[in-house]
Amino acid sequence: MVHTDVADVLIAGAGPVGLTAAVELRRLGATCRLVDRLPARLPYAKAVGIQPRTLEIWDRMGLVRAALEAAVPMRGQLTYINGAEQARLDLALPPEVPYGFAALPQYETERILEEFLTRFGTGIERGTELVSFAQDADGVTSRLVTPSGEEEVRSRFLVGCDGAHSVVRRELGLTFEGGAFPEEYMLADVEVDWDLPRGYGVRAMHHGADGAVDDLLVCIPLPGERRYRMSMLVPPELSASRQAGGGDRRRDGVAHGLEGGPTPSLSDIQAVLDRLAPQPTTASAMRWSSVFRISHRLVDRYGDGRVFVAGDAAHIHPPTGAQGMNTGIQDAYNLAWKLALAAQGAAHPRLLTSYDAERRPVGEEVVGRTVRHAAEGVQADPTDPATLLLREAQLLVGYRGSPIVGRPYPSRDNGPGPQPGDRAPDCGGLTGEITEYPLRLYDLLRDRGHLLLLYGNGDAGKTFDELATVARELSQDKVEACAVLADGEPAGTRLPVYHDGRGEFRQRYGVQDPTAFVVRADGYLGARLSPPTAQELAAHLAGVFRTG
């Protein structure tokens, strides 16, 4: 057996979640190995919905352009019940949100992330499976089965992004409570010749005499001419459970994901379209099809010691609202910056425990909401439509009350603005000392780690310089700093300066007086201090970084 000791982090599973973790670790200066048991990327359009928050994350990481060029817009949903068209759902977000909803096949998401990862000299080790591991006070020893034999790998941390049937979850002894839905579904990637509006999904249902849904067709647009990823109830002759003689064929008892056995034919898909399509149409050019099952489960904790789980290894649920992959990407994004600091010796000893504290409540809420929506429909949610849309876009995910964010800030007359633990909102109208064209705040955040964002006027310049020095020294140079000044104010500081020419920052962030915002590496506010003092800033940073 080969013995190696080469990585800060070993990541098992190279789907979108594992790739996100790997990219962020490498971008922030940590080393990692990324292994996957599959010999090649699967050509299936499984997860296709891309939420606006995921696009914001990809913007911060520096790869959003490739995703935007490969994706198609999701403008809304057309709903039909027993052939009658219902109210159209338009996916319209507030103008300050920089990205809308999109659709992108999972294999394209993986391609884009993998190609970006290669810029850091890291690739996927294909055909390599994690079979067991043991951890101690200093690291994790993992046993891999590779195409050339067995290998024992020593890493500081291990992250299981290995899906619903996770080896890492099983070996770590985490519970995975929940259940399975009795229905089975067909998935297919096909083209149709209807002339429905471009960029709209289709949900067509038939209600029986008892009012229950007894037939279903869901179509999500994909890149291509009238191309869709369709899902529908499976006919009895294709039922995976019937093929198995009833019961669950999974060794771990988790009935979730694509099933083996007979695959749907184009005629199976056409039969459903003949019953439910809003217009007469013919399906063609089927690229793939499968039968799949859905479960809803959540782990009891997102990690133990030096080992963590993310994505489907931690939570599985119905695909309603395209929440699964996007939630997993946020898991990885939240965890990666903390692991990078820990691997570099710059993290507070308790920083990694905040991963479970911040992400498990999110997973619990998503599982509960998607199960409810699967049973009752999104329209049955009592939340007002605007809030519902922001939640589905994952723009309301936040970490107020987290052990590593600051205390709430009292509201002012011009609005409270974001609180510690909230997503840092975007705004426009910023101009630099040299650039004449307006910038967005997210332009300042792109491809950075932590940022100390200081708002005020030119008179605060000396204080700003002192605060930036405190942040740099206490974080081992992990916190950068810049200033946003009211329009026309002199610089008065050695920091990079941007002017709030249109007052959008002041309005969006609810500021009038000098204020310091600590923007974390994942784009959430760690602290909001007004008036900012070196003592308060140091106290906050001491809970995140190793300062001694």
Side-chain angles (χ1 to χ4, degrees):
M1 181 184 294
V2 177
H3 299 270
T4 56
D5 185 5
V6 295
D8 291 326
V9 184
L10 174 65
I11 302 169
V17 178
L19 282 161
T20 297
V23 168
E24 274 300 276
L25 286 165
R26 296 297 292 120
R27 192 177 71 83
L28 296 173
T31 63
C32 70
R33 287 183 64 177
L34 177 60
V35 302
D36 196 283
R37 63 180 181 83
L38 296 175
R41 185 185 313 127
L42 293 176
Y44 305 144
K46 295 187 293 181
V48 298
I50 306 298
Q51 301 295 353
R53 178 57 188 160
T54 296
L55 293 172
E56 291 182 355
I57 288 171
W58 288 347
D59 187 330
R60 183 78 180 265
M61 294 166 66
L63 57 86
V64 73
R65 184 180 65 186
L68 294 175
E69 292 177 352
V72 293
M74 274 291 296
R75 295 191 170 95
Q77 179 177 279
L78 308 175
T79 302
Y80 302 83
I81 298 178
N82 292 3
E85 185 172 3
Q86 309 300 302
R88 178 180 299 193
L89 172 64
D90 290 307
L91 300 176
L93 293 167
E96 67 270 13
V97 177
Y99 299 106
F101 296 82
L104 186 67
Q106 183 171 327
Y107 57 80
E108 280 290 272
T109 296
E110 293 176 3
R111 176 189 63 81
I112 291 166
L113 286 164
E114 183 178 356
E115 289 179 356
F116 193 76
L117 180 61
T118 60
R119 300 184 185 185
F120 302 95
T122 300
I124 301 172
E125 299 177 41
R126 292 283 185 188
T128 300
E129 184 174 7
L130 172 73
V131 294
S132 64
F133 63 85
Q135 63 173 313
D136 53 49
D138 300 317
V140 184
T141 302
S142 302
R143 187 165 67 90
L144 306 177
V145 175
T146 75
S148 57
E150 291 192 4
E151 181 182 0
E152 191 175 80
V153 175
R154 184 72 173 168
S155 60
R156 296 184 182 184
F157 304 98
L158 169 65
V159 181
C161 305
D162 47 347
H165 309 286
S166 170
V167 171
V168 174
R169 184 184 66 238
R170 184 192 68 214
E171 291 288 304
L172 201 56
L174 305 180
T175 63
F176 204 36
E177 297 297 328
F181 287 89
E183 299 87 359
E184 295 177 77
Y185 297 86
M186 296 187 293
L187 280 183
D189 179 349
V190 299
E191 293 179 4
V192 289
D193 57 1
W194 62 36
D195 60 359
L196 295 177
R198 178 176 176 269
Y200 280 80
V202 174
R203 183 179 181 87
M205 298 169 285
H206 183 271
H207 289 181
D210 62 354
V213 175
D214 58 15
D215 209 356
L216 175 69
L217 169 67
V218 178
C219 309
I220 306 298
L222 296 174
E225 186 67 23
R226 297 188 181 93
R227 183 179 165 204
Y228 292 82
R229 201 286 312 276
M230 297 187 175
S231 60
M232 55 208 75
L233 295 175
V234 74
E237 62 271 17
L238 291 176
S239 168
S241 59
R242 288 178 182 237
Q243 293 292 327
D248 185 7
R249 295 180 291 118
R250 304 284 191 179
R251 288 185 303 170
D252 57 7
V254 178
H256 191 83
L258 303 183
E259 297 280 351
T263 58
S265 67
L266 191 59
S267 62
D268 295 314
I269 307 305
Q270 186 63 52
V272 179
L273 289 171
D274 290 343
R275 297 195 305 268
L276 293 176
Q279 295 179 0
T281 190
T282 300
S284 61
M286 186 166 72
R287 290 162 176 80
W288 68 275
S289 66
S290 181
V291 172
F292 76 103
R293 296 282 305 276
I294 298 172
S295 289
H296 53 94
R297 294 177 182 269
L298 180 71
V299 291
D300 56 323
R301 58 197 189 280
Y302 274 34
D304 188 2
R306 293 177 171 268
V307 184
F308 305 88
V309 290
D312 284 359
H315 47 79
I316 53 176
H317 42 80
T320 312
Q323 300 295 294
M325 180 187 72
N326 293 274
T327 299
I329 286 173
Q330 288 208 52
D331 290 342
Y333 195 55
N334 180 286
L335 178 61
W337 70 265
K338 299 170 182 178
L339 286 176
L341 289 178
Q344 295 159 0
H348 187 283
R350 294 190 300 273
L351 178 62
L352 293 179
T353 63
S354 70
Y355 172 59
D356 180 84
E358 292 184 344
R359 291 306 299 172
R360 191 177 184 281
V362 174
E364 186 174 24
E365 189 276 332
V366 169
V367 171
R369 172 161 45 94
T370 54
V371 169
R372 186 173 67 252
H373 286 178
E376 305 172 14
V378 175
Q379 292 83 352
D381 197 304
T383 306
D384 71 272
T387 301
L388 173 64
L389 202 57
L390 289 171
R391 183 176 293 122
E392 293 292 303
Q394 299 197 341
L395 297 172
L396 299 184
V397 173
Y399 309 124
R400 292 189 188 186
S402 163
I404 62 168
V405 305
R407 66 180 186 274
Y409 182 79
S411 63
R412 295 296 180 91
D413 292 339
N414 60 342
Q419 295 284 346
D422 290 352
R423 156 185 164 269
D426 196 15
C427 66
L430 302 178
T431 56
E433 296 287 271
I434 300 174
T435 54
E436 297 296 333
Y437 56 87
L439 299 170
R440 302 189 69 87
L441 179 62
Y442 281 11
D443 294 329
L444 278 58
L445 300 182
R446 186 176 300 117
D447 200 25
R448 274 177 152 153
H450 274 67
L451 179 68
L452 177 63
L453 192 59
L454 298 157
Y455 176 84
N457 52 41
D459 294 339
K462 183 178 179 181
T463 300
F464 286 177
D465 291 343
E466 293 172 351
L467 292 169
T469 299
V470 169
R472 185 178 64 252
E473 291 178 349
L474 293 183
S475 69
Q476 302 183 32
D477 289 327
K478 301 298 183 183
V479 178
E480 299 180 58
C482 68
V484 174
L485 303 182
D487 188 36
E489 290 285 348
T493 174
R494 297 192 300 271
L495 299 177
V497 168
Y498 300 89
H499 292 276
D500 188 20
R502 299 199 296 252
E504 290 187 29
F505 184 90
R506 177 178 56 80
Q507 180 183 23
R508 190 73 54 211
Y509 279 74
V511 289
Q512 292 179 333
D513 304 321
T515 305
F517 298 91
V518 178
V519 184
R520 307 188 328 182
D522 59 359
Y524 285 84
L525 293 185
R528 173 176 177 159
L529 309 173
S530 182
T533 66
Q535 182 179 8
E536 284 188 299
L537 178 61
H540 169 70
L541 296 176
V544 177
F545 297 93
R546 182 184 292 275
T547 58

mmCIF file with all atom_site columns, all heavy atoms in Angstrom, residues 412-433:
data_model
loop_
_atom_site.group_PDB
_atom_site.id
_atom_site.type_symbol
_atom_site.label_atom_id
_atom_site.label_alt_id
_atom_site.label_comp_id
_atom_site.label_asym_id
_atom_site.label_entity_id
_atom_site.label_seq_id
_atom_site.pdbx_PDB_ins_code
_atom_site.Cartn_x
_atom_site.Cartn_y
_atom_site.Cartn_z
_atom_site.occupancy
_atom_site.B_iso_or_equiv
_atom_site.pdbx_formal_charge
_atom_site.auth_seq_id
_atom_site.auth_comp_id
_atom_site.auth_asym_id
_atom_site.auth_atom_id
_atom_site.pdbx_PDB_model_num
ATOM 1   N N   . ARG A 1 412 ? -31.835 52.589 12.305 1.00 0.00 ? 412 ARG A N   1
ATOM 2   C CA  . ARG A 1 412 ? -31.839 54.049 12.261 1.00 0.00 ? 412 ARG A CA  1
ATOM 3   C C   . ARG A 1 412 ? -33.039 54.531 11.436 1.00 0.00 ? 412 ARG A C   1
ATOM 4   O O   . ARG A 1 412 ? -33.775 53.750 10.831 1.00 0.00 ? 412 ARG A O   1
ATOM 5   C CB  . ARG A 1 412 ? -30.534 54.550 11.628 1.00 0.00 ? 412 ARG A CB  1
ATOM 6   C CG  . ARG A 1 412 ? -29.292 54.225 12.475 1.00 0.00 ? 412 ARG A CG  1
ATOM 7   C CD  . ARG A 1 412 ? -29.323 54.949 13.813 1.00 0.00 ? 412 ARG A CD  1
ATOM 8   N NE  . ARG A 1 412 ? -28.153 54.635 14.621 1.00 0.00 ? 412 ARG A NE  1
ATOM 9   C CZ  . ARG A 1 412 ? -27.027 55.338 14.608 1.00 0.00 ? 412 ARG A CZ  1
ATOM 10  N NH1 . ARG A 1 412 ? -26.909 56.368 13.794 1.00 0.00 ? 412 ARG A NH1 1
ATOM 11  N NH2 . ARG A 1 412 ? -26.025 55.005 15.396 1.00 0.00 ? 412 ARG A NH2 1
ATOM 12  N N   . ASP A 1 413 ? -33.213 55.820 11.356 1.00 0.00 ? 413 ASP A N   1
ATOM 13  C CA  . ASP A 1 413 ? -34.369 56.376 10.669 1.00 0.00 ? 413 ASP A CA  1
ATOM 14  C C   . ASP A 1 413 ? -34.392 56.026 9.189  1.00 0.00 ? 413 ASP A C   1
ATOM 15  O O   . ASP A 1 413 ? -35.457 55.903 8.592  1.00 0.00 ? 413 ASP A O   1
ATOM 16  C CB  . ASP A 1 413 ? -34.393 57.902 10.825 1.00 0.00 ? 413 ASP A CB  1
ATOM 17  C CG  . ASP A 1 413 ? -34.665 58.323 12.268 1.00 0.00 ? 413 ASP A CG  1
ATOM 18  O OD1 . ASP A 1 413 ? -35.219 57.498 13.014 1.00 0.00 ? 413 ASP A OD1 1
ATOM 19  O OD2 . ASP A 1 413 ? -34.312 59.462 12.623 1.00 0.00 ? 413 ASP A OD2 1
ATOM 20  N N   . ASN A 1 414 ? -33.218 55.869 8.587  1.00 0.00 ? 414 ASN A N   1
ATOM 21  C CA  . ASN A 1 414 ? -33.178 55.584 7.158  1.00 0.00 ? 414 ASN A CA  1
ATOM 22  C C   . ASN A 1 414 ? -33.144 54.085 6.871  1.00 0.00 ? 414 ASN A C   1
ATOM 23  O O   . ASN A 1 414 ? -32.759 53.658 5.796  1.00 0.00 ? 414 ASN A O   1
ATOM 24  C CB  . ASN A 1 414 ? -31.968 56.261 6.510  1.00 0.00 ? 414 ASN A CB  1
ATOM 25  C CG  . ASN A 1 414 ? -30.649 55.791 7.101  1.00 0.00 ? 414 ASN A CG  1
ATOM 26  O OD1 . ASN A 1 414 ? -30.629 55.232 8.193  1.00 0.00 ? 414 ASN A OD1 1
ATOM 27  N ND2 . ASN A 1 414 ? -29.561 56.009 6.378  1.00 0.00 ? 414 ASN A ND2 1
ATOM 28  N N   . GLY A 1 415 ? -33.575 53.257 7.824  1.00 0.00 ? 415 GLY A N   1
ATOM 29  C CA  . GLY A 1 415 ? -33.637 51.814 7.597  1.00 0.00 ? 415 GLY A CA  1
ATOM 30  C C   . GLY A 1 415 ? -32.498 51.109 8.286  1.00 0.00 ? 415 GLY A C   1
ATOM 31  O O   . GLY A 1 415 ? -31.405 51.659 8.454  1.00 0.00 ? 415 GLY A O   1
ATOM 32  N N   . PRO A 1 416 ? -32.734 49.868 8.680  1.00 0.00 ? 416 PRO A N   1
ATOM 33  C CA  . PRO A 1 416 ? -31.719 49.164 9.464  1.00 0.00 ? 416 PRO A CA  1
ATOM 34  C C   . PRO A 1 416 ? -30.521 48.715 8.657  1.00 0.00 ? 416 PRO A C   1
ATOM 35  O O   . PRO A 1 416 ? -29.419 48.602 9.179  1.00 0.00 ? 416 PRO A O   1
ATOM 36  C CB  . PRO A 1 416 ? -32.496 47.965 10.015 1.00 0.00 ? 416 PRO A CB  1
ATOM 37  C CG  . PRO A 1 416 ? -33.590 47.739 9.017  1.00 0.00 ? 416 PRO A CG  1
ATOM 38  C CD  . PRO A 1 416 ? -33.967 49.101 8.524  1.00 0.00 ? 416 PRO A CD  1
ATOM 39  N N   . GLY A 1 417 ? -30.699 48.435 7.366  1.00 0.00 ? 417 GLY A N   1
ATOM 40  C CA  . GLY A 1 417 ? -29.602 47.862 6.612  1.00 0.00 ? 417 GLY A CA  1
ATOM 41  C C   . GLY A 1 417 ? -29.328 46.447 7.077  1.00 0.00 ? 417 GLY A C   1
ATOM 42  O O   . GLY A 1 417 ? -30.001 45.913 7.965  1.00 0.00 ? 417 GLY A O   1
ATOM 43  N N   . PRO A 1 418 ? -28.334 45.793 6.492  1.00 0.00 ? 418 PRO A N   1
ATOM 44  C CA  . PRO A 1 418 ? -28.038 44.404 6.864  1.00 0.00 ? 418 PRO A CA  1
ATOM 45  C C   . PRO A 1 418 ? -27.440 44.296 8.258  1.00 0.00 ? 418 PRO A C   1
ATOM 46  O O   . PRO A 1 418 ? -26.693 45.177 8.698  1.00 0.00 ? 418 PRO A O   1
ATOM 47  C CB  . PRO A 1 418 ? -27.040 43.971 5.790  1.00 0.00 ? 418 PRO A CB  1
ATOM 48  C CG  . PRO A 1 418 ? -26.362 45.243 5.367  1.00 0.00 ? 418 PRO A CG  1
ATOM 49  C CD  . PRO A 1 418 ? -27.436 46.299 5.443  1.00 0.00 ? 418 PRO A CD  1
ATOM 50  N N   . GLN A 1 419 ? -27.768 43.212 8.938  1.00 0.00 ? 419 GLN A N   1
ATOM 51  C CA  . GLN A 1 419 ? -27.262 42.929 10.271 1.00 0.00 ? 419 GLN A CA  1
ATOM 52  C C   . GLN A 1 419 ? -26.140 41.900 10.196 1.00 0.00 ? 419 GLN A C   1
ATOM 53  O O   . GLN A 1 419 ? -26.002 41.165 9.204  1.00 0.00 ? 419 GLN A O   1
ATOM 54  C CB  . GLN A 1 419 ? -28.393 42.382 11.145 1.00 0.00 ? 419 GLN A CB  1
ATOM 55  C CG  . GLN A 1 419 ? -29.517 43.360 11.410 1.00 0.00 ? 419 GLN A CG  1
ATOM 56  C CD  . GLN A 1 419 ? -29.133 44.399 12.448 1.00 0.00 ? 419 GLN A CD  1
ATOM 57  O OE1 . GLN A 1 419 ? -28.145 44.260 13.151 1.00 0.00 ? 419 GLN A OE1 1
ATOM 58  N NE2 . GLN A 1 419 ? -29.919 45.463 12.535 1.00 0.00 ? 419 GLN A NE2 1
ATOM 59  N N   . PRO A 1 420 ? -25.309 41.803 11.242 1.00 0.00 ? 420 PRO A N   1
ATOM 60  C CA  . PRO A 1 420 ? -24.320 40.724 11.289 1.00 0.00 ? 420 PRO A CA  1
ATOM 61  C C   . PRO A 1 420 ? -24.994 39.377 11.101 1.00 0.00 ? 420 PRO A C   1
ATOM 62  O O   . PRO A 1 420 ? -26.006 39.069 11.730 1.00 0.00 ? 420 PRO A O   1
ATOM 63  C CB  . PRO A 1 420 ? -23.712 40.883 12.684 1.00 0.00 ? 420 PRO A CB  1
ATOM 64  C CG  . PRO A 1 420 ? -23.852 42.335 12.995 1.00 0.00 ? 420 PRO A CG  1
ATOM 65  C CD  . PRO A 1 420 ? -25.174 42.728 12.389 1.00 0.00 ? 420 PRO A CD  1
ATOM 66  N N   . GLY A 1 421 ? -24.448 38.574 10.213 1.00 0.00 ? 421 GLY A N   1
ATOM 67  C CA  . GLY A 1 421 ? -25.038 37.297 9.853  1.00 0.00 ? 421 GLY A CA  1
ATOM 68  C C   . GLY A 1 421 ? -25.840 37.333 8.575  1.00 0.00 ? 421 GLY A C   1
ATOM 69  O O   . GLY A 1 421 ? -26.152 36.287 8.003  1.00 0.00 ? 421 GLY A O   1
ATOM 70  N N   . ASP A 1 422 ? -26.177 38.535 8.080  1.00 0.00 ? 422 ASP A N   1
ATOM 71  C CA  . ASP A 1 422 ? -26.925 38.668 6.833  1.00 0.00 ? 422 ASP A CA  1
ATOM 72  C C   . ASP A 1 422 ? -25.977 38.625 5.632  1.00 0.00 ? 422 ASP A C   1
ATOM 73  O O   . ASP A 1 422 ? -24.789 38.970 5.728  1.00 0.00 ? 422 ASP A O   1
ATOM 74  C CB  . ASP A 1 422 ? -27.682 39.999 6.787  1.00 0.00 ? 422 ASP A CB  1
ATOM 75  C CG  . ASP A 1 422 ? -28.837 40.051 7.776  1.00 0.00 ? 422 ASP A CG  1
ATOM 76  O OD1 . ASP A 1 422 ? -29.156 39.005 8.384  1.00 0.00 ? 422 ASP A OD1 1
ATOM 77  O OD2 . ASP A 1 422 ? -29.405 41.149 7.953  1.00 0.00 ? 422 ASP A OD2 1
ATOM 78  N N   . ARG A 1 423 ? -26.539 38.252 4.500  1.00 0.00 ? 423 ARG A N   1
ATOM 79  C CA  . ARG A 1 423 ? -25.821 38.357 3.234  1.00 0.00 ? 423 ARG A CA  1
ATOM 80  C C   . ARG A 1 423 ? -25.511 39.823 2.971  1.00 0.00 ? 423 ARG A C   1
ATOM 81  O O   . ARG A 1 423 ? -26.354 40.699 3.162  1.00 0.00 ? 423 ARG A O   1
ATOM 82  C CB  . ARG A 1 423 ? -26.683 37.772 2.123  1.00 0.00 ? 423 ARG A CB  1
ATOM 83  C CG  . ARG A 1 423 ? -26.421 38.262 0.722  1.00 0.00 ? 423 ARG A CG  1
ATOM 84  C CD  . ARG A 1 423 ? -27.447 37.685 -0.241 1.00 0.00 ? 423 ARG A CD  1
ATOM 85  N NE  . ARG A 1 423 ? -27.480 38.383 -1.502 1.00 0.00 ? 423 ARG A NE  1
ATOM 86  C CZ  . ARG A 1 423 ? -28.264 39.422 -1.776 1.00 0.00 ? 423 ARG A CZ  1
ATOM 87  N NH1 . ARG A 1 423 ? -29.083 39.887 -0.836 1.00 0.00 ? 423 ARG A NH1 1
ATOM 88  N NH2 . ARG A 1 423 ? -28.234 39.995 -2.968 1.00 0.00 ? 423 ARG A NH2 1
ATOM 89  N N   . ALA A 1 424 ? -24.274 40.117 2.537  1.00 0.00 ? 424 ALA A N   1
ATOM 90  C CA  . ALA A 1 424 ? -23.903 41.484 2.169  1.00 0.00 ? 424 ALA A CA  1
ATOM 91  C C   . ALA A 1 424 ? -24.560 41.822 0.839  1.00 0.00 ? 424 ALA A C   1
ATOM 92  O O   . ALA A 1 424 ? -24.230 41.222 -0.194 1.00 0.00 ? 424 ALA A O   1
ATOM 93  C CB  . ALA A 1 424 ? -22.387 41.606 2.059  1.00 0.00 ? 424 ALA A CB  1
ATOM 94  N N   . PRO A 1 425 ? -25.513 42.754 0.807  1.00 0.00 ? 425 PRO A N   1
ATOM 95  C CA  . PRO A 1 425 ? -26.204 43.053 -0.451 1.00 0.00 ? 425 PRO A CA  1
ATOM 96  C C   . PRO A 1 425 ? -25.316 43.840 -1.405 1.00 0.00 ? 425 PRO A C   1
ATOM 97  O O   . PRO A 1 425 ? -24.387 44.537 -1.000 1.00 0.00 ? 425 PRO A O   1
ATOM 98  C CB  . PRO A 1 425 ? -27.398 43.891 0.003  1.00 0.00 ? 425 PRO A CB  1
ATOM 99  C CG  . PRO A 1 425 ? -26.959 44.521 1.282  1.00 0.00 ? 425 PRO A CG  1
ATOM 100 C CD  . PRO A 1 425 ? -26.035 43.541 1.932  1.00 0.00 ? 425 PRO A CD  1
ATOM 101 N N   . ASP A 1 426 ? -25.639 43.716 -2.660 1.00 0.00 ? 426 ASP A N   1
ATOM 102 C CA  . ASP A 1 426 ? -24.914 44.457 -3.694 1.00 0.00 ? 426 ASP A CA  1
ATOM 103 C C   . ASP A 1 426 ? -25.492 45.866 -3.810 1.00 0.00 ? 426 ASP A C   1
ATOM 104 O O   . ASP A 1 426 ? -26.594 46.154 -3.335 1.00 0.00 ? 426 ASP A O   1
ATOM 105 C CB  . ASP A 1 426 ? -25.024 43.726 -5.024 1.00 0.00 ? 426 ASP A CB  1
ATOM 106 C CG  . ASP A 1 426 ? -24.009 44.195 -6.054 1.00 0.00 ? 426 ASP A CG  1
ATOM 107 O OD1 . ASP A 1 426 ? -23.045 44.884 -5.662 1.00 0.00 ? 426 ASP A OD1 1
ATOM 108 O OD2 . ASP A 1 426 ? -24.178 43.869 -7.241 1.00 0.00 ? 426 ASP A OD2 1
ATOM 109 N N   . CYS A 1 427 ? -24.744 46.742 -4.423 1.00 0.00 ? 427 CYS A N   1
ATOM 110 C CA  . CYS A 1 427 ? -25.242 48.076 -4.783 1.00 0.00 ? 427 CYS A CA  1
ATOM 111 C C   . CYS A 1 427 ? -24.353 48.601 -5.892 1.00 0.00 ? 427 CYS A C   1
ATOM 112 O O   . CYS A 1 427 ? -23.264 48.084 -6.141 1.00 0.00 ? 427 CYS A O   1
ATOM 113 C CB  . CYS A 1 427 ? -25.250 49.019 -3.583 1.00 0.00 ? 427 CYS A CB  1
ATOM 114 S SG  . CYS A 1 427 ? -23.607 49.429 -2.954 1.00 0.00 ? 427 CYS A SG  1
ATOM 115 N N   . GLY A 1 428 ? -24.801 49.631 -6.561 1.00 0.00 ? 428 GLY A N   1
ATOM 116 C CA  . GLY A 1 428 ? -24.038 50.203 -7.663 1.00 0.00 ? 428 GLY A CA  1
ATOM 117 C C   . GLY A 1 428 ? -23.599 51.620 -7.373 1.00 0.00 ? 428 GLY A C   1
ATOM 118 O O   . GLY A 1 428 ? -23.713 52.127 -6.257 1.00 0.00 ? 428 GLY A O   1
ATOM 119 N N   . GLY A 1 429 ? -23.068 52.273 -8.409 1.00 0.00 ? 429 GLY A N   1
ATOM 120 C CA  . GLY A 1 429 ? -22.741 53.687 -8.314 1.00 0.00 ? 429 GLY A CA  1
ATOM 121 C C   . GLY A 1 429 ? -21.450 54.026 -7.614 1.00 0.00 ? 429 GLY A C   1
ATOM 122 O O   . GLY A 1 429 ? -21.237 55.188 -7.255 1.00 0.00 ? 429 GLY A O   1
ATOM 123 N N   . LEU A 1 430 ? -20.559 53.061 -7.409 1.00 0.00 ? 430 LEU A N   1
ATOM 124 C CA  . LEU A 1 430 ? -19.276 53.347 -6.766 1.00 0.00 ? 430 LEU A CA  1
ATOM 125 C C   . LEU A 1 430 ? -18.250 53.726 -7.825 1.00 0.00 ? 430 LEU A C   1
ATOM 126 O O   . LEU A 1 430 ? -18.144 53.081 -8.872 1.00 0.00 ? 430 LEU A O   1
ATOM 127 C CB  . LEU A 1 430 ? -18.789 52.127 -5.979 1.00 0.00 ? 430 LEU A CB  1
ATOM 128 C CG  . LEU A 1 430 ? -19.715 51.603 -4.880 1.00 0.00 ? 430 LEU A CG  1
ATOM 129 C CD1 . LEU A 1 430 ? -19.117 50.367 -4.225 1.00 0.00 ? 430 LEU A CD1 1
ATOM 130 C CD2 . LEU A 1 430 ? -19.993 52.685 -3.841 1.00 0.00 ? 430 LEU A CD2 1
ATOM 131 N N   . THR A 1 431 ? -17.474 54.767 -7.554 1.00 0.00 ? 431 THR A N   1
ATOM 132 C CA  . THR A 1 431 ? -16.413 55.181 -8.469 1.00 0.00 ? 431 THR A CA  1
ATOM 133 C C   . THR A 1 431 ? -15.087 55.205 -7.729 1.00 0.00 ? 431 THR A C   1
ATOM 134 O O   . THR A 1 431 ? -15.032 55.524 -6.536 1.00 0.00 ? 431 THR A O   1
ATOM 135 C CB  . THR A 1 431 ? -16.695 56.573 -9.061 1.00 0.00 ? 431 THR A CB  1
ATOM 136 O OG1 . THR A 1 431 ? -16.878 57.512 -7.989 1.00 0.00 ? 431 THR A OG1 1
ATOM 137 C CG2 . THR A 1 431 ? -17.938 56.552 -9.928 1.00 0.00 ? 431 THR A CG2 1
ATOM 138 N N   . GLY A 1 432 ? -14.031 54.863 -8.449 1.00 0.00 ? 432 GLY A N   1
ATOM 139 C CA  . GLY A 1 432 ? -12.707 54.853 -7.853 1.00 0.00 ? 432 GLY A CA  1
ATOM 140 C C   . GLY A 1 432 ? -11.986 56.173 -8.052 1.00 0.00 ? 432 GLY A C   1
ATOM 141 O O   . GLY A 1 432 ? -12.510 57.102 -8.677 1.00 0.00 ? 432 GLY A O   1
ATOM 142 N N   . GLU A 1 433 ? -10.778 56.241 -7.507 1.00 0.00 ? 433 GLU A N   1
ATOM 143 C CA  . GLU A 1 433 ? -9.979  57.459 -7.652 1.00 0.00 ? 433 GLU A CA  1
ATOM 144 C C   . GLU A 1 433 ? -9.484  57.632 -9.086 1.00 0.00 ? 433 GLU A C   1
ATOM 145 O O   . GLU A 1 433 ? -9.192  58.748 -9.517 1.00 0.00 ? 433 GLU A O   1
ATOM 146 C CB  . GLU A 1 433 ? -8.785  57.403 -6.695 1.00 0.00 ? 433 GLU A CB  1
ATOM 147 C CG  . GLU A 1 433 ? -9.179  57.384 -5.228 1.00 0.00 ? 433 GLU A CG  1
ATOM 148 C CD  . GLU A 1 433 ? -9.686  58.738 -4.759 1.00 0.00 ? 433 GLU A CD  1
ATOM 149 O OE1 . GLU A 1 433 ? -8.871  59.559 -4.327 1.00 0.00 ? 433 GLU A OE1 1
ATOM 150 O OE2 . GLU A 1 433 ? -10.907 58.977 -4.833 1.00 0.00 ? 433 GLU A OE2 1
#
